Amino acid sequence: MQSRPLGRTGLSIMPLVFGGNVFGWTADEATSFRLLDAFVDHGFNAIDTADVYSAWAPGNKGGESETIIGRWLKRDPAKRDRVVVITKVGSDVGEGKTLKEEYIPRAAERSLARLGIDRIDLYLSHWPDDTTPHEETLAAFARLKDAGKIAAIGCSNFSAEQLKASLDAARANGLPRYDVLQPEYNLVARSSLEGPLLDLCRAEEIGVITYFSLASGFLSGKYRSQADLSKSQRGGGLSKYLDARGLRVLDALDEVAGRHGAKPAEVALAWIMHKPGVTAPIASATSVEQLESLARAAALALSGDDMRRLDEASA
């Protein structure tokens, strides 16, 4: 397993990012600590979170994930030098969705306090904000970079047009540009990245870290019928994948997994890792056993025939 450069950020990450959306939601603090310890012990180093995680859980208001990561780092400060901390700004945590210049520094200070760190390694605009000019948002990031509060910036959920406009604004105004994109991408949701957006990222050397890399669990192979969907809280959201194409993908995953003695989810993540232009998938776990499976995915070497089989099934 080798590290990969994360675009032009100067950061290097291993080919799997831990998704911190589970911290404070489906993983309590003690479980989260065990997962983070195991993740780093396996040699991985990038942790993704956001100021809004996990506001959707009953009793939460956002910031729970960052707080847990911060307490984990405080427990063992030596870990700070071993991890790349990624967090996001722009979701609604009480002031609406916004990337306004006056809002970003306040949000960054709150994230830094929860994380207990002096610098965010990678700070992402969580959502596009069409009411705020790119140059206004980038100017706020520039001041944070100059103050040493953030090291690099990126964006999530931007279209090719939005990303191109942001790059143009950065060039025209002498501002830092987005060097990382975080899009939805997996075997059953390819169109949001492939095409003009991925072409732009490759041309501009923008790092790509993908979310929903397992399609909210569909690509684990556990959901193959309407009856299966009822067994999970996520089931209702997975019904859109349970069609002829989705079943073709599961069959292909089974076939490739059988050749490698692997699990379908491991193959699904390895497929992303092998895609040109993609730096790493984001994936989460709620048990050390699940994390061990993520680690095996990073060690899978898919052949050209494996990739073609999966590509054709998911076309």
Side-chain angles (χ1 to χ4, degrees):
M1 186 173 67
Q2 293 185 327
S3 65
R4 301 175 173 186
L6 187 53
R8 297 182 187 174
T9 62
L11 302 168
S12 291
I13 65 171
M14 292 301 177
L16 180 73
V17 179
F18 195 100
N21 61 316
V22 296
F23 300 150
W25 175 32
T26 50
D28 61 18
E29 184 168 301
T31 301
S32 300
F33 282 13
R34 287 195 294 272
L35 292 168
L36 287 165
D37 285 340
F39 185 73
V40 173
D41 288 346
H42 274 289
F44 299 112
N45 67 330
I47 304 164
D48 176 81
T49 186
D51 57 2
V52 74
Y53 296 170
S54 46
W56 52 83
N60 287 0
K61 60 183 180 180
E64 291 80 13
S65 175
E66 289 180 330
T67 298
I68 286 174
I69 294 168
R71 289 174 179 163
W72 174 71
L73 290 170
K74 184 177 181 180
R75 188 194 62 170
D76 186 357
K79 292 258 180 33
R80 176 65 186 102
D81 292 334
R82 298 173 61 187
V83 296
V84 172
V85 177
I86 305 165
T87 193
K88 311 180 195 72
V89 62
S91 286
D92 185 0
V93 287
E95 298 183 50
K97 276 187 176 183
T98 180
L99 293 174
K100 294 290 185 189
E101 189 172 13
E102 55 86 21
Y103 173 76
I104 289 174
R106 289 188 284 114
E109 291 294 347
R110 290 193 288 263
S111 287
L112 285 164
R114 287 188 292 262
L115 290 162
I117 58 180
D118 298 323
R119 185 197 68 250
I120 295 165
D121 298 314
L122 176 60
Y123 203 31
L124 303 179
S125 291
H126 205 161
W127 301 94
D129 177 4
D130 292 332
T131 68
T132 303
H134 292 295
E135 53 267 29
E136 178 181 334
T137 300
L138 296 175
F141 285 137
R143 283 192 286 277
L144 287 170
K145 287 190 76 172
D146 290 344
K149 301 291 182 71
I150 62 176
I153 61 172
C155 58
S156 183
N157 299 299
F158 275 43
S159 67
E161 293 76 13
Q162 290 164 331
L163 180 55
K164 176 66 163 56
S166 77
L167 296 173
D168 291 343
R171 290 190 185 100
N173 294 277
L175 294 167
R177 69 171 209 164
Y178 294 128
D179 279 316
V180 177
L181 174 73
Q182 187 178 122
E184 177 180 1
Y185 186 61
N186 57 62
L187 270 164
V188 288
R190 296 174 58 178
S191 61
S192 56
L193 175 62
E194 292 182 2
L197 184 54
L198 184 57
D199 291 344
L200 176 62
C201 290
R202 296 185 72 182
E204 293 285 349
E205 297 179 80
I206 292 171
V208 176
I209 52 176
T210 65
Y211 73 86
F212 284 173
S213 304
L214 291 174
S216 299
F218 177 76
L219 296 173
S220 69
K222 293 188 295 184
Y223 309 98
R224 296 172 186 263
S225 69
Q226 291 296 327
D228 291 337
L229 298 182
S230 65
K231 299 174 185 176
S232 169
Q233 294 179 359
R234 291 179 167 185
L238 300 180
S239 59
K240 62 185 175 182
Y241 301 130
L242 201 59
D243 55 15
R245 176 172 174 261
L247 293 175
R248 280 200 313 272
V249 169
L250 294 183
D251 286 344
L253 284 172
D254 288 341
E255 180 183 321
V256 175
R259 288 202 286 265
H260 291 270
K263 295 180 179 178
E266 295 164 7
V267 173
L269 291 174
W271 175 82
I272 296 176
M273 295 173 192
H274 283 67
K275 276 293 179 180
V278 177
T279 311
I282 302 167
S284 58
T286 55
S287 69
V288 173
E289 180 184 13
Q290 289 177 358
L291 193 134
E292 296 289 335
S293 180
L294 300 185
R296 289 193 294 272
L300 269 181
L302 299 184
S303 68
D305 286 342
D306 293 333
M307 293 297 289
R308 280 189 292 274
R309 176 74 176 95
L310 295 166
D311 285 342
E312 290 167 2
S314 61

